[in-house]
Amino acid sequence: MKKLTGLKKIRTAIFISGKGSNFENLLKHSFKKKFPIEIVYVVSNTFKAKGLKFARKFKINYKIINFKNQIRDENLVILKMKKYNVKLICLAGFMKILSKNFIKKFNGKIINIHPSLLPKYKGLNTHKRVIENKEKYTGCTVHFVNSKLDSGKIILQKKIKVLKTDNPKSLAKRVLKQEHLLFPKAIKKIKINL
Ligand code: GRF
């Protein structure tokens, strides 16, 4: 992976909490000349997020902020977003709920990936619930973030079949594969007012 500089790309921050496979995938895309974003900052709510290794590897500035004092911590994030001139925030497996105030500040500039076919299965444990309810299909959704959980305007969705043999783990794996295709596609589709 080689870093390209000097191109006019949307300055983007990625918020993570875990493995960071979506972050890694977006990073790889961002190094392509024609992909519209460059990742300039990473926020993680925990030092345990394995995805932080990609920020370290590619020398992307990052901050671990636990959001325990939400007002103080979000204000700190807002300062960082200003400092790094961030125009788009991608939530990629980020497990904290942002306040209405924060979302308002970045209105139309925060997008999230969710492992279900929204509006179905908002929130956590989507794959387990999908299997328990014997759904024939599931998938993933990229959407704008508004003040209601997993409820903002949908940008793109991908539908896949739930197999009779699926368990939450196998389903999560197959959905994640689709997430890696969908998130970059959704980013190419959106228009951000810079
Ligand atoms: C993804 O399934 C995402 O949709 C969900 O959490 C998982 C994060 O995976 N919210 P990763 O950290 O990007 O590997």
Side-chain angles (χ1 to χ4, degrees), residues 21 54 68 72 84 91 95 117 144-146 185 188:
S21 71
F54 305 115
K68 280 194 180 134
R72 185 200 64 197
Y84 288 89
L91 308 183
M95 301 305 283
L117 288 176
F144 284 104
V145 171
N146 67 8
K185 258 195 200 166
K188 280 192 196 160

Side-chain angles (χ1 to χ4, degrees), residues 16-24 51 91-95 112-116 127 140-141 172 175-176 179-180:
I16 61 168
S17 299
K19 259 192 349 261
S21 71
N22 277 293
F23 165 38
E24 183 192 19
L91 308 183
F94 184 62
M95 301 305 283
N112 179 45
I113 187 147
H114 185 77
S116 81
H127 308 302
C140 47
T141 305
V175 170
L176 190 62
E179 291 181 39
H180 295 164

Side-chain angles (χ1 to χ4, degrees), residues 12 23 67 69 99 118 144-145 184 194:
T12 301
F23 165 38
F67 291 86
N69 180 336
S99 73
L118 291 174
F144 284 104
V145 171
L194 295 177

Side-chain angles (χ1 to χ4, degrees), residues 44 50 83 126 149 156 163 170 181-182:
S44 172
K50 293 208 175 91
K83 180 173 173 200
T126 54
L149 181 71
L156 276 180
L163 306 176
S170 66
L181 300 173
L182 195 72

